[in-house]
Amino acid sequence: MGMSSIFVGALVLVILIQAKGQPGFISIDCGAEAGVNYTEPSLDINYVSDANFINTGVRGIITSEETSTHTQRQLWRLRSFPEGKRNCYKISVTRGSKYLVRTVFLYGNYDGRNMLPQFDLLLGANLWDTVTIKNASIDQSMEIIHVSSLDFIQICLVYTGNGTPFITAIELRTLNNDTYVTPGSLERYMRCDLGSNTVYRYGYDDYDRIWSTCDFKENWTQLSVSISDDSFVENEYKPEATIMSTAVTPANDNAPLVIRWEPEHETDEFSVYMHFTELQVLTTNQTRQFNMSGALFLQNYSPPYMRVFTIYSVSALSGKEIKFSLERTENSTLPPIMNAIEIYKVKQFHQSDTFQGDVDAITSIKSVYGVKRDWEGDPCAPAAYLWDGLNCSYQGIESPRITTLNLSSSGLHGKIAPSISNLTMLEILDLSNNSLNGEIPDFLSQLQHLKILNLEKNNLSGLIPPALNKDSLLLRVDQNPYLCEADQSNKKKKKKHNSIATPIVASVGGVLILLVVVAAMLWTAKRRKAKALMLEKDQSAISPQYTEQNDSSLRFQKQIYSYSDIVKITNNFTTIVGKGGFGTVYLGYIEDTPVAVKMLSPSSVHGYQQFQAEVKLLMRVHHKSLTSLVGYCNEGTNKGLVYEYMANGNLQEHLSGKRSQRNFLNWEKRLRIAVDAALGLEYLQNGCKPPIFHRDVKSTNILLNEHLHAKLSDFGLSKAVLTDGGTHVSTVIAGTPGYLDPEYYLTSRLTEKSDVYSFGVVLLEIITGQPVIAKNEEKSHISEWVRSLIGKGDINAIVDSRLEGEFDSNSVWKAVEIATACVSPNPNRRPIISVVVSELNESLSLATELAQTKYRSTDTSDPVKRVTMNLNIESLPRAR
Ligand SMILES: *[C@@H]1O[C@H](CO)[C@@H](O)[C@H](O)[C@H]1NC(C)=O
Ligand SMILES: *[C@@H]1O[C@H](CO)[C@@H](O)[C@H](O)[C@H]1NC(C)=O
Ligand SMILES: *[C@@H]1O[C@H](CO)[C@@H](O)[C@H](O)[C@H]1NC(C)=O
Ligand SMILES: *[C@@H]1O[C@H](CO)[C@@H](O)[C@H](O)[C@H]1NC(C)=O
Ligand SMILES: *[C@@H]1O[C@H](CO)[C@@H](O)[C@H](O)[C@H]1NC(C)=O
Ligand SMILES: *[C@@H]1O[C@H](CO)[C@@H](O)[C@H](O)[C@H]1NC(C)=O
Ligand SMILES: *[C@@H]1O[C@H](CO)[C@@H](O)[C@H](O)[C@H]1NC(C)=O
Ligand SMILES: *[C@@H]1O[C@H](CO)[C@@H](O)[C@H](O)[C@H]1NC(C)=O
Ligand SMILES: *[C@@H]1O[C@H](CO)[C@@H](O)[C@H](O)[C@H]1NC(C)=O
Ligand SMILES: *[C@@H]1O[C@H](CO)[C@@H](O)[C@H](O)[C@H]1NC(C)=O
């Protein structure tokens, strides 16, 4: 108790320093009068009125009974939206920065109707969630961790037929860019200060995260100690001393600490962040050590004393029930503990916001003409809320562009607005039946894609710019009394247009569809000549900037592609061949050659801050055992990598039997794959300066081409994604279960021996055909399983039974020996990769009848000639 009052004293000091306004905080009291600016004393947070962030809606106030039970002032007022389908707040932010965005709702029977509404909440162009008000007297909040790709964010409330949308408060908090790095935005599911009975936020948390007391309905004991701020070491996630000073432990000392929840939908994806600290001074005969198993995997972990250690999942978790347990190890004298846990739902926002140039232009047009329409939020997205009078083009993950602006009969006055010239993708512009005056501006002729321009029934004057008389443009200018007709030939042309105008306008949809069909036919017919077609169709075809022209050994010129090139290469992202960390992989063609195009999802690209530097590095790497990078695209949030296409999918699919039986890997093929992969690793470590650590060696990252040659993929990039071991020693990843070097959990450092460890795990999979983590109750690791069998000396129990005894047992023993050495818990006992390569070659020579012809990295002849003949039939590209 004494400690905690000292703590409060320290807190007041902190607040005095920060009282000027919290840096990185934007706190909006919705419905407060314009100009209102106050500090809510119980929170010490400075709120301002929402007047500067929105032009629509009606201010409201909760009933007096409710104000008496809710003492915080920002909860009293609200803004409701009885009119318009979508109403939006627009808040300036720093582009690329990470924010915690919170919306707060307290109904408080403000409208006297006692009807709890339900409505949708959009974040920019994407659905954030549906808001269901559950109790008139309880303030609800929704939170999302989000990186904005624009210099503002829009929070929109959408009427869905179930009552009037309203909002009470909006709070934005700037987070550390290096925290919560995941593909997608993170919606709060639960944030729990375990072992605590109090809710904490700002004052106890610099980022103003709200920490709740959660009930997991498990039989837990609460632990609590006093921690003084001085003796406590934080990490970049900054759960502060108060949050970390409580924890839970299983009520039964020997029971595991189980975390489990049942998602509403099986497909929901979750990301978990756990914060640990040891609260007890451990005596020499005490240890607290635990394993984590189930959805997350971690071995022999001991929380450090009075220091925060954060463990998080890299891959998203999903399923009917998500469950993992912390189980004390044999050496541990104390049960496992956990101090705090954050569970987020991963939101993949696939819809990009409309192209910023178009947004700026249309916003300017709206204000110049004082357009009285329900023009709120993103103009093009979501497509269901497209602004009235607009049409847009949507291509893959590219930002939508405005293609139609129809402001006919809208009471427009004044001149034709110059901002229209910035809608550069405009195809249809209809300003007919208004009171526009002045001349027809020349800039309209510079809109290259314009097909229909209707200026009828206005008061325009002067000459028609001659440049508008072109065959590609259908121009209508009738009933402008002051407009001068130009010379006879132009007049004739115009007449002609006028007379056919109506039928053409009416059938324009049909024409467009026809064009699409023709284009599609051309595409199919000439897909294999994709590049040539692109050159025919427009001038903006691939304009490569060659980066390494002198490297003649490369099959492709490594290129920088524009996003439109990528759209063409992938035929507008038609065929998905894979989904994985940070993006989707599409099949594409460059000339005759299939390629795999990995597009990083727009919400994850900020995880790749060093994208370009990394890619440059990858461009230099070339080895026959590494999937080669053909090129890349780096246009704003459109980031993509173009790789050579690997027709036979990944090794894991073959080992798990997901692939056709005809492609069954016999022992010799397996060994060749192992040698290939090891050679790739050896090249990365020894052939590159500085050496490259793969960091994510696993059987799904070993790809097989049409001849079943193995190549490593996804190397190097993981570096930008995983936390850099050098500087951040206080966070770890509970990663792809089973492949991560156990030493990593002790040192937080990945070394070349970590890759050797992961490779050893892959080799064990190759030998045994077993999953890395057993699918039974014990969830034992493949290395444990093999070690337990080695003692018995029965090779047949270890080796994949599907090989049906067809192998040389000396060769297999050799491989088992190499693999177990690689997975040695002590990194010093693991062989270096070049030793692995030469030992595997030994094993291979034992396996082949042609023992004298060793398989070498320099060997240019096809080492699997004997089998390719049978395989040709299956070398068609297949989805993986
Ligand atoms: C609100 O008041 C504080 C303190 O006087 C000031 O620093 C801040 O700029 C004001 N904010 C707004 C939006 O006026
Ligand atoms: C986060 O990244 C953005 C864009 O790179 C940068 O502008 C911003 O200053 C960074 N914020 C912090 C808190 O580091
Ligand atoms: C709403 O919450 C209040 C306060 O917690 C509670 O007293 C009341 O019973 C709740 N009403 C309903 C309908 O659940
Ligand atoms: C919780 O654990 C305690 C201590 O092991 C035990 O006495 C109690 O019966 C358990 N309660 C339940 C509901 O399982
Ligand atoms: C640990 O050591 C202390 C004295 O050093 C002793 O009193 C205690 O019983 C020991 N505890 C265990 C679990 O061995
Ligand atoms: C924890 O993991 C280690 C290392 O894999 C293993 O030796 C031990 O048996 C595991 N303990 C439990 C209780 O699962
Ligand atoms: C467990 O304790 C034994 C004996 O002290 C030690 O050799 C072993 O390394 C410990 N295991 C772990 C995983 O710490
Ligand atoms: C928008 O354009 C698309 C494709 O050109 C067309 O199918 C659709 O009908 C148009 N929508 C409107 C509202 O004009
Ligand atoms: C523009 O909108 C008006 C009224 O909705 C419609 O009659 C007209 O055909 C539209 N113009 C074009 C070019 O689609
Ligand atoms: C068009 O966009 C450019 C660049 O965004 C801007 O500088 C210019 O002012 C805009 N032109 C008009 C007429 O709005």
Side-chain angles (χ1 to χ4, degrees):
M1 223 41 231
M3 278 310 249
S4 78
S5 57
I6 290 173
F7 176 65
V8 170
L11 193 76
V12 171
L13 264 183
V14 172
I15 287 165
L16 282 180
I17 296 161
Q18 301 195 332
K20 287 199 192 85
Q22 302 76 25
F25 280 28
I26 300 171
S27 310
I28 301 171
D29 178 346
C30 303
E33 254 174 87
V36 162
N37 178 358
Y38 64 91
T39 297
E40 163 53 40
S42 70
L43 297 173
D44 243 294
I45 293 175
N46 198 82
Y47 285 88
V48 297
S49 154
D50 63 349
N52 290 333
F53 304 96
I54 194 156
N55 299 317
T56 57
V58 182
R59 296 170 46 221
I61 185 163
I62 56 175
T63 62
S64 53
E65 301 92 82
E66 295 292 351
T67 45
S68 63
T69 54
H70 292 92
T71 54
Q72 295 179 354
R73 182 171 161 188
Q74 83 280 7
L75 298 176
W76 295 348
R77 299 203 169 262
L78 54 85
R79 183 174 294 271
S80 68
F81 303 95
E83 278 175 33
K85 182 159 175 57
R86 174 170 61 161
N87 286 277
C88 299
Y89 282 84
K90 185 170 179 180
I91 303 166
S92 299
V93 297
T94 309
R95 186 195 304 243
S97 250
K98 187 163 283 175
Y99 288 90
L100 173 70
V101 182
R102 179 161 50 228
T103 48
V104 183
F105 308 90
L106 173 61
Y107 172 65
N109 196 21
Y110 75 92
D111 53 3
R113 289 187 193 162
N114 249 322
M115 300 252 288
L116 303 179
Q118 185 187 61
F119 47 89
D120 280 354
L121 195 60
L122 303 182
L123 188 59
N126 292 277
L127 178 67
W128 170 350
D129 214 333
T130 296
V131 181
T132 307
I133 304 299
K134 298 192 184 100
N135 184 322
S137 312
I138 295 179
D139 51 301
Q140 289 172 222
S141 70
M142 303 191 101
E143 281 182 11
I144 196 158
I145 295 175
H146 180 72
V147 177
S148 176
S149 57
L150 303 177
D151 55 13
F152 57 82
I153 62 165
Q154 300 207 73
I155 295 172
C156 306
L157 295 100
V158 179
Y159 173 76
T160 53
N162 299 303
T164 305
F166 74 92
I167 187 161
T168 301
I170 299 175
E171 297 166 343
L172 265 66
R173 313 296 182 228
T174 310
L175 298 176
N176 182 331
N177 286 340
D178 299 330
T179 57
Y180 304 106
V181 179
T182 41
S185 299
L186 296 176
E187 183 181 25
R188 181 194 63 199
Y189 187 70
M190 280 193 234
R191 186 183 298 113
C192 313
D193 177 9
L194 298 171
S196 156
N197 300 317
T198 314
V199 175
Y200 292 104
R201 59 181 288 187
Y202 185 65
Y204 301 90
D205 187 298
D206 275 359
Y207 295 129
D208 190 24
R209 286 165 295 195
I210 296 177
W211 294 89
S212 318
T213 60
C214 305
D215 185 5
F216 279 89
K217 304 200 167 65
E218 300 284 339
N219 198 358
W220 284 344
T221 304
Q222 299 188 340
L223 302 180
S224 170
V225 300
S226 298
I227 303 183
S228 84
D229 265 349
D230 316 339
S231 58
F232 186 69
V233 185
E234 283 180 346
N235 67 5
E236 63 267 34
Y237 285 87
K238 287 185 142 184
E240 289 182 27
T242 310
I243 309 298
M244 297 302 288
S245 67
T246 57
V248 292
T249 184
N252 173 348
D253 263 9
N254 292 314
L257 179 62
V258 178
I259 302 282
R260 90 176 96 201
W261 70 94
E262 281 176 20
E264 224 174 293
H265 308 287
E266 256 181 74
T267 49
D268 287 349
E269 296 193 316
F270 293 89
S271 204
V272 178
Y273 294 79
M274 287 164 280
H275 308 287
F276 294 94
T277 192
E278 179 55 76
L279 297 174
Q280 237 172 287
V281 184
L282 302 185
T283 60
T284 46
N285 59 5
Q286 280 181 318
T287 357
R288 190 189 306 278
Q289 194 187 52
F290 49 86
N291 289 353
M292 199 179 287
S293 62
L296 293 172
F297 185 77
L298 185 67
Q299 293 181 343
N300 299 335
Y301 177 67
S302 296
Y305 180 66
M306 288 301 145
R307 264 178 44 209
V308 181
F309 205 92
T310 299
I311 293 176
Y312 58 97
S313 53
V314 230
S315 33
L317 315 177
S318 59
K320 206 178 203 139
E321 182 193 56
I322 296 171
K323 175 181 167 186
F324 54 94
S325 45
L326 282 57
E327 206 166 334
R328 60 192 280 179
T329 60
E330 284 150 20
N331 281 9
S332 185
T333 60
L334 297 166
I337 58 166
M338 191 184 291
N339 308 64
I341 183 167
E342 298 175 75
I343 303 173
Y344 294 95
K345 219 191 237 181
V346 181
K347 288 258 158 180
Q348 298 285 5
F349 286 162
H350 291 297
Q351 177 60 61
S352 301
D353 300 302
T354 300
F355 181 69
Q356 176 118 33
D358 285 2
V359 177
D360 294 345
I362 197 75
T363 308
S364 157
I365 293 164
K366 180 183 169 190
S367 82
V368 165
Y369 292 126
V371 175
K372 299 271 180 300
R373 294 195 188 200
D374 194 8
W375 278 12
E376 282 286 324
D378 191 286
C380 300
Y385 302 117
L386 183 66
W387 284 6
D388 176 34
L390 257 52
N391 205 351
C392 303
S393 64
Y394 305 89
Q395 283 201 327
I397 60 168
E398 197 176 3
S399 291
R401 300 295 308 262
I402 296 175
T403 56
T404 299
L405 175 60
N406 185 349
L407 284 173
S408 71
S409 316
S410 299
L412 309 187
H413 289 268
K415 303 200 165 16
I416 293 179
S419 351
I420 291 176
S421 66
N422 270 357
L423 294 174
T424 52
M425 297 301 285
L426 213 53
E427 292 167 15
I428 299 175
L429 177 60
D430 189 342
L431 300 172
S432 61
N433 199 21
N434 286 297
S435 311
L436 294 172
N437 57 30
E439 300 196 352
I440 298 180
D442 223 8
F443 62 69
L444 292 178
S445 65
Q446 279 146 33
L447 291 170
Q448 307 213 338
H449 303 273
L450 200 61
K451 296 193 190 84
I452 297 174
L453 175 58
N454 189 349
L455 302 171
E456 280 178 353
K457 300 183 188 159
N458 277 294
N459 293 321
L460 297 167
S461 54
L463 278 169
I464 299 169
L468 284 177
N469 283 312
K470 47 184 174 185
D471 284 337
S472 60
L473 180 68
L474 182 63
L475 176 67
R476 301 178 65 183
V477 292
D478 277 3
Q479 301 186 50
N480 280 286
Y482 310 108
L483 201 60
C484 299
E485 299 287 327
D487 66 62
Q488 211 48 31
S489 61
N490 277 344
K491 190 174 177 181
K492 212 166 146 200
K493 204 167 202 171
K494 200 163 84 279
K495 267 254 166 66
K496 193 174 108 216
H497 279 161
N498 281 345
S499 57
I500 59 165
T502 320
I504 286 192
V505 170
S507 69
V508 113
V511 171
L512 282 181
I513 289 167
L514 193 66
L515 280 176
V516 170
V517 171
V518 170
M521 281 162 58
L522 282 174
W523 183 272
T524 327
K526 296 201 180 176
R527 188 178 56 170
R528 303 250 157 189
K529 297 209 182 322
K531 197 167 177 181
L533 176 64
M534 279 171 227
L535 286 166
E536 272 167 44
K537 277 184 66 185
D538 65 36
Q539 304 95 315
S540 70
I542 297 178
S543 49
Q545 291 160 264
Y546 295 109
T547 52
E548 285 194 38
Q549 279 165 321
N550 52 357
D551 191 346
S552 58
S553 71
L554 301 188
R555 183 132 171 249
F556 303 99
Q557 301 277 25
K558 300 196 175 179
Q559 294 182 348
I560 300 169
Y561 293 104
S562 71
Y563 184 72
S564 56
D565 295 339
I566 297 284
V567 170
K568 287 166 193 155
I569 289 170
T570 59
N571 191 8
N572 200 12
F573 306 103
T574 332
T575 313
I576 294 182
V577 290
K579 272 207 169 84
F582 300 87
T584 307
V585 186
Y586 301 89
L587 176 63
Y589 286 91
I590 295 177
E591 293 172 19
D592 268 351
T593 314
V595 290
V597 179
K598 179 171 188 172
M599 293 309 291
L600 311 183
S601 70
S603 43
S604 81
V605 294
H606 301 285
Y608 292 112
Q609 301 200 334
Q610 305 137 294
F611 179 82
Q612 191 135 14
E614 287 294 332
V615 162
K616 290 233 166 89
L617 175 80
L618 297 186
M619 289 282 212
R620 288 203 300 274
V621 170
H622 185 69
H623 187 269
K624 71 184 182 77
S625 293
L626 301 174
T627 49
S628 50
L629 191 66
V630 177
Y632 70 99
C633 163
N634 187 14
E635 251 181 43
T637 53
N638 294 322
K639 291 184 167 37
L641 298 166
V642 183
Y643 291 102
E644 69 175 306
Y645 182 71
M646 299 291 283
N648 264 313
N650 72 51
L651 173 61
Q652 212 253 331
E653 293 165 349
H654 288 265
L655 292 177
S656 64
K658 279 190 201 132
R659 289 231 154 210
S660 100
Q661 201 51 34
R662 284 192 299 174
N663 258 346
F664 181 72
L665 299 175
N666 67 21
W667 176 243
E668 190 187 322
K669 284 183 204 162
R670 291 183 192 211
L671 269 180
R672 289 196 192 281
I673 287 167
V675 173
D676 280 340
L679 283 171
L681 273 185
E682 186 193 23
Y683 172 80
L684 287 175
Q685 288 188 9
N686 300 336
C688 299
K689 281 204 175 66
I692 297 174
F693 302 149
H694 188 296
R695 295 163 183 246
D696 201 13
V697 178
K698 53 183 178 186
S699 51
T700 48
N701 272 343
I702 296 174
L703 306 184
L704 305 178
N705 71 6
E706 67 271 33
H707 306 298
L708 292 176
H709 287 277
K711 300 190 182 209
L712 283 175
S713 72
D714 263 2
F715 45 91
L717 262 190
S718 50
K719 192 169 151 203
V721 177
L722 300 182
T723 333
D724 178 13
T727 48
H728 304 105
V729 288
S730 51
T731 59
V732 300
I733 297 153
T736 314
Y739 292 97
L740 212 50
D741 180 0
E743 176 79 0
Y744 175 63
Y745 296 117
L746 306 176
T747 61
S748 300
R749 235 168 259 274
L750 286 171
T751 65
E752 74 275 18
K753 290 295 184 66
S754 309
D755 280 352
V756 170
Y757 179 89
S758 313
F759 179 78
V761 176
V762 172
L763 193 50
L764 288 174
E765 285 180 273
I766 291 176
I767 297 166
T768 63
Q770 297 291 320
V772 173
I773 309 286
K775 297 207 163 74
N776 54 21
E777 259 309 295
E778 288 101 63
K779 309 241 182 266
S780 60
H781 190 253
I782 192 166
S783 62
E784 303 288 315
W785 183 76
V786 170
R787 274 193 203 110
S788 71
L789 291 173
I790 289 175
K792 296 182 187 140
D794 180 5
I795 196 73
N796 287 309
I798 296 175
V799 89
D800 191 346
S801 58
R802 286 170 292 178
L803 290 172
E804 296 177 331
E806 299 266 318
F807 52 82
D808 177 284
S809 58
N810 288 325
S811 168
V812 174
W813 270 123
K814 181 105 204 159
V816 170
E817 225 168 70
I818 302 164
T820 46
C822 290
V823 297
S824 165
N826 180 346
N828 297 325
R829 294 236 186 97
R830 297 176 204 152
I832 57 171
I833 190 69
S834 44
V835 170
V836 174
V837 171
S838 65
E839 294 285 304
L840 279 173
N841 269 324
E842 290 273 313
S843 171
L844 180 60
S845 64
L846 289 169
T848 55
E849 306 100 324
L850 311 161
Q852 62 275 44
T853 59
K854 279 200 180 172
Y855 182 49
R856 305 198 139 271
S857 56
T858 49
D859 194 348
T860 49
S861 67
D862 186 350
V864 282
K865 219 169 257 147
R866 253 169 4 105
V867 294
T868 44
M869 273 174 27
N870 308 331
L871 286 169
N872 275 343
I873 339 158
E874 292 145 50
S875 63
L876 294 167
R878 287 193 49 179
R880 60 178 155 86

